[in-house]
Amino acid sequence: MIKKFFLFVVVAIALQSCDTGPTQKTLKLAHGLDTNHPVHIAMLDMAKKLKEKSGGKLELEIYPSGQLGTERQCLELIQIGSLAMTKVSAATMENFSPKLQVLSLPYIFDDREHSYRFQDSEEGKALLLESEKYRLRGLAYFDAGFRSFYMIDGQIETPADLAGKKVRVMESPSSMKLVRDLGGSPTPISYGELYTALQQGIVDGAENNAPSFYTARHYEVCKFYSIDEHSAVPDILVISTDTWSRLSEEEKGWVQEASDETVVLERELWQESEKFCLEEVQKAGVKVVYPDKSPFVEKTKGYREVYEKEKPEMFKIIQQIEALK
């Protein structure tokens, strides 16, 4: 506990949102992705846009590759006021905003365009603000594609192939439930530690999108990729409510505009990256298959009834998503 507290103090001192002059502010943004990842590239563009819009009065300083910790740790740094912004999966945000569980539900989105329609809707934007009481304000959704299974040994072509398999998942209740419902054994491991866990056989595989599979070099260990597209969990750009409250209305406008414009670019980069990364992993010897989704859908279809009976507020969001098909 003392060591953890000391770490927070050290980071807090090092990362205070600093004024480099009477009219210039620097916002620190940390995330766990590789510098070649399309989301990071989009963030670099966001930093450029923010500087241009503000005439240099507001700048974004980006710390990639887990330099400041895991997604959960970055959220904790935001909560204690040591970090201004981060990018996390909506699945990780479930721990602070339970309603976001809906976005992780299996096969809730028919395709990419369906997910975009919800993210761009008033209901989608309102969902971003659900975590404000935890000092976390969502600014925008980033496309994170569809998640699929990749394994060290053997292809996943039906749910039965997951029986007895230890599958790395995010620290998310819905992610763990999904793998459990399909017959696997969910094993939460931080993204930064996953490559080693795969190498050492701590887990038999994982589930993620193609760009993450490629940029994290997990394809070097896992030679079987099954595109079952069981979920389309977006990323969320998060800002500290403390940081947000200290910005002027004009500064808030610059930050939100830069975020919204970056979403458009990120979606383009994402689609290009998906195609490129799938081609590259196949060149590296990965066997890619597209299994029939029907058995996977059948094994996970009970969630709708559970939400309808037990979680009416979340079921309302499900209905809003379904209305946009």
Side-chain angles (χ1 to χ4, degrees):
M1 181 64 72
I2 293 175
K3 288 183 179 179
K4 185 175 182 181
F5 175 75
F6 179 75
L7 174 63
F8 277 150
V9 171
V10 171
V11 175
I13 293 172
L15 297 180
Q16 299 252 358
S17 287
C18 57
D19 293 331
T20 55
T23 59
Q24 183 182 0
K25 295 179 182 177
T26 300
L27 304 179
K28 314 289 187 178
L29 188 160
H31 66 82
L33 299 173
D34 184 270
T35 53
N36 293 317
H37 199 284
V39 171
H40 176 73
I41 296 170
M43 285 178 180
L44 294 178
D45 183 75
M46 179 180 172
K48 181 181 176 182
K49 283 183 168 66
L50 186 58
K51 187 173 183 177
E52 290 173 349
K53 290 177 183 295
S54 67
K57 296 178 182 178
L58 202 56
E59 296 192 357
L60 197 60
E61 196 168 286
I62 304 172
Y63 294 80
S65 305
Q67 291 179 43
L68 303 186
T70 64
E71 289 195 340
R72 177 101 185 196
Q73 288 168 336
C74 284
L75 289 174
E76 290 172 350
L77 289 174
I78 281 182
Q79 289 179 310
I80 65 173
S82 300
L83 185 64
M85 300 173 68
T86 189
K87 185 287 313 170
V88 298
S89 170
T92 302
M93 284 288 286
E94 290 175 16
N95 297 290
F96 304 92
S97 181
K99 287 184 180 179
L100 285 168
Q101 289 179 21
V102 171
L103 301 182
S104 298
L105 294 177
Y107 302 104
I108 192 167
F109 294 110
D110 287 352
D111 50 34
R112 175 181 283 115
E113 286 68 31
H114 183 199
S115 67
Y116 288 171
R117 284 194 292 276
F118 177 74
Q119 292 168 19
D120 295 339
S121 70
E122 290 304 313
E123 293 82 6
K125 293 175 181 177
L127 195 57
L128 285 172
L129 305 180
E130 284 287 324
S131 57
E132 281 193 310
K133 60 185 176 182
Y134 296 103
R135 306 185 71 181
L136 306 168
R137 178 187 178 90
L139 287 171
Y141 295 103
F142 285 159
D143 189 0
F146 282 83
R147 301 178 74 90
S148 295
F149 293 106
Y150 51 87
M151 309 299 289
I152 297 171
D153 184 20
Q155 204 66 267
I156 303 299
E157 299 194 57
T158 70
D161 295 326
L162 281 165
K165 299 289 187 181
K166 291 176 290 184
V167 181
R168 179 269 174 179
V169 295
M170 294 177 282
E171 292 186 57
S172 150
S174 57
S175 296
M176 288 188 278
K177 184 179 186 305
L178 167 67
V179 171
R180 198 176 292 118
D181 287 350
L182 290 173
S185 177
T187 308
I189 294 175
S190 71
Y191 188 66
E193 298 173 354
L194 180 52
Y195 187 97
T196 302
L198 290 166
Q199 270 189 322
Q200 296 177 349
I202 295 172
V203 289
D204 300 303
E207 49 88 48
N208 215 324
N209 52 64
S212 295
F213 179 46
Y214 176 69
T215 58
R217 307 185 73 86
H218 294 166
Y219 67 88
E220 294 177 347
V221 187
C222 297
K223 295 299 183 180
F224 300 90
Y225 195 25
S226 305
I227 312 294
D228 66 296
E229 298 182 323
H230 49 260
S231 62
V233 189
D235 283 338
I236 297 179
L237 182 63
V238 180
I239 189 168
S240 157
T241 54
D242 181 58
T243 298
W244 185 256
S245 67
R246 288 188 282 108
L247 296 176
S248 68
E249 289 305 310
E250 185 177 35
E251 289 169 337
K252 290 176 182 176
W254 292 332
V255 171
Q256 191 63 63
E257 285 175 15
S259 301
D260 293 342
E261 290 175 15
T262 299
V263 167
V264 177
L265 174 65
E266 191 273 342
R267 289 175 178 178
E268 294 175 0
L269 291 174
W270 186 269
Q271 293 179 44
E272 292 172 2
S273 180
E274 273 190 334
K275 181 180 178 182
F276 171 79
C277 292
L278 271 179
E279 291 173 351
E280 290 302 303
V281 298
Q282 288 180 86
K283 289 178 184 176
V286 174
K287 296 180 180 179
V288 177
V289 298
Y290 294 81
D292 178 9
K293 295 180 184 179
S294 300
F296 295 89
V297 174
E298 183 66 24
K299 289 279 284 187
T300 58
K301 70 177 184 179
Y303 73 84
R304 195 182 191 283
E305 290 74 19
V306 171
Y307 276 74
E308 184 173 9
K309 294 176 182 177
E310 302 177 8
K311 302 178 181 180
E313 287 189 2
M314 295 188 196
F315 182 68
K316 183 179 178 181
I317 301 172
I318 293 174
Q319 290 178 307
Q320 293 167 343
I321 292 173
E322 291 176 339
L324 293 171
K325 289 185 177 182

